[in-house]
Amino acid sequence: MLGSYVERIDDHVKFLHAARVPPFNVHFHLHRGCEIFFLIHGDVRYFVDKTVYPLRLGDLIITNEHEIHKPALTTDALYERVTIEFDPALIALFETDRTRLLRCFYDRPPGELNKIKLNAQEQAELSGLFAKYANLMREPYPETPLVKLGCLLEILALVQRCFDKTQEKDKGLDLPARLVPVLDYLDRHLADDLSLERLEGLFFVSRFHLSRLFKKHTGSTIHEYILYKRISLAKKLLKEGRSVTDACMDAGFNDYSGFLRIFKKKVGLLPKQYAKQSQGAGAGR
């Protein structure tokens, strides 16, 4: 099994170092695996589930495949970052009781403790590993897949150490009091009617004010947030062995054909394909 992963390492690990000048908007999204986000330049607030993290240069954000997330750019400063998306099933092959490299990605509540602060030495060490990986992509040789895998394991070991040593975990910014109960309700009632009209009646707040407030603090719409939360829930249900029909209905998608279409568009696989792949991976996540 490991040999097949190594032969197709670029299918299981996506490395990107990119820079872009605002204004532009990044929408909520989900990945098929875990992601490491490293900020190099830019003024960014990073939204994960219900939490907003203000970032400084050199900060890390970690997410798993069930956590919806997005960066929100607060100024027109150059936005530069490194991201690594990876298949947790690959890393699970190297885990033991003492070396659990996926622990910081999963052993915490969803949307909590996603931010890791690095000191100058840790930033330099991580930047060096990123530079090594980028160079392997530019100048490959026969053993490159193995070296890429070794480099990724070094990166994950460093991230786990930095996560463990942080005494005061960053819990993010406090959201407006008007918004907190709405987000809590959305999380608990994804299968219900979550139209703006219904939320307006439940929370006695104008739908227009609620929309503006949500947009101001997340950079996206409530509709987009609900959509990705429902997709995230559907992914969890499918991974647990639920049928496609049950996942569709229990996650709040009342239109079966529409669910198939939107799931394929956002996840890259049809629900049945995703269920087969995630259950067959055996990563235990």
Side-chain angles (χ1 to χ4, degrees), residues 93-132:
L93 296 174
F94 297 91
E95 290 203 306
T96 68
D97 290 340
R98 296 186 62 187
T99 58
R100 297 178 58 214
L101 299 179
L102 295 171
R103 181 160 45 85
C104 61
F105 291 89
Y106 292 99
D107 291 1
R108 52 179 176 75
E112 296 184 22
L113 310 180
N114 301 87
K115 178 179 172 181
I116 304 175
K117 297 179 181 179
L118 307 180
N119 61 35
Q121 180 180 341
E122 292 160 348
Q123 289 180 31
E125 187 176 350
L126 192 59
S127 295
L129 290 168
F130 288 152
K132 177 180 178 180

Side-chain angles (χ1 to χ4, degrees), residues 19-31:
R20 189 176 176 188
V21 177
F24 59 89
N25 187 37
V26 182
H27 297 288
F28 281 115
H29 55 278
L30 286 163
H31 297 296

